[in-house]
Amino acid sequence: MLLLSFYIGAKYEKRGRFMDRKIIIDVSKENEPVLQNLYHALKSVFGTAVCVENSNMRSFPRLDLYLLERRATVDNTPISLTVREFDTLAYLTAHPGWVFSKEQIYEKIWKEIPEDVDNAVMCLISSLRRKLEKDTDMQYIHTVWGLGYKFEITPEK
């Protein structure tokens, strides 16, 4: 099964419509071209808040994550990620918009009980941001002060 998810929010927030509502449509493998057409139609209406996902790939505006191959591309150009950077990106993109604490990220990525996590997680997120946002006008990972980090696609201002 392939999933197409999109978030109604950013563009229609001012009109009082739905905010950050995830809608998932299941499509069988043989209907993948239909899914791709639907993706492009929704993207033209809702802008950057559209994601196509299957068991191997998560595709966001200008960013593709290939889970089984453990690689990522920005604008179809491969980016070099460490094991921890890739795992962190996969973890955050699994639930766009969710806020994860430094302790949650540390436990998931390092697979250890968190002790002194602040510097380790901050350095990891900083490096990941630098690689993802190097040649784009997009911002993917946001700091939620006092809480942690979340994956949310926004154009940089």
Side-chain angles (χ1 to χ4, degrees):
M1 288 293 196
L2 298 170
L3 299 175
L4 170 72
S5 59
F6 61 96
Y7 298 84
I8 301 172
K11 193 168 183 177
Y12 292 98
E13 189 173 339
K14 294 176 185 163
R15 296 186 188 172
R17 300 211 182 174
F18 304 103
M19 284 181 54
D20 299 326
R21 174 100 21 137
K22 184 173 185 179
I23 299 171
I24 299 174
I25 304 165
D26 290 338
V27 179
S28 63
K29 181 83 172 152
E30 58 271 4
N31 291 325
E32 188 171 354
V34 173
L35 180 71
Q36 293 299 330
N37 288 338
L38 183 57
Y39 164 74
H40 291 295
L42 290 170
K43 185 175 178 184
S44 70
V45 173
F46 295 109
T48 62
V50 179
C51 163
V52 172
E53 180 177 345
N54 66 28
S55 60
N56 176 42
M57 181 181 171
R58 292 185 190 138
S59 182
F60 300 94
R62 303 179 75 176
L63 171 66
D64 294 316
L65 191 64
Y66 300 88
L67 302 171
L68 297 177
E69 299 158 22
R70 299 188 57 80
R71 67 182 179 92
T73 62
V74 173
D75 291 332
N76 297 318
T77 302
I79 55 173
S80 178
L81 298 176
T82 66
V83 170
R84 287 187 175 146
E85 288 169 343
F86 183 87
D87 290 345
T88 301
L89 184 58
Y91 183 53
L92 294 174
T93 60
H95 302 287
W98 288 23
V99 178
F100 295 95
S101 71
K102 292 175 188 173
E103 291 79 12
Q104 288 173 308
I105 294 169
Y106 189 90
E107 284 178 15
K108 181 69 175 178
I109 304 309
W110 275 263
K111 298 181 181 14
E112 298 174 2
I113 297 171
E115 291 179 21
D116 183 25
V117 302
D118 283 352
N119 193 45
V121 174
M122 284 190 311
C123 288
L124 179 69
I125 294 294
S126 175
S127 175
L128 188 52
R129 280 180 175 150
R130 192 170 40 255
K131 291 177 180 183
L132 290 175
E133 300 165 8
K134 179 180 174 187
D135 297 318
T136 71
D137 59 351
M138 304 298 289
Q139 186 176 1
Y140 296 102
I141 300 173
H142 299 265
T143 301
V144 180
W145 294 106
L147 296 175
Y149 301 97
K150 68 178 177 176
F151 181 86
E152 186 174 75
I153 306 159
T154 57
E156 286 184 353
K157 295 182 180 178

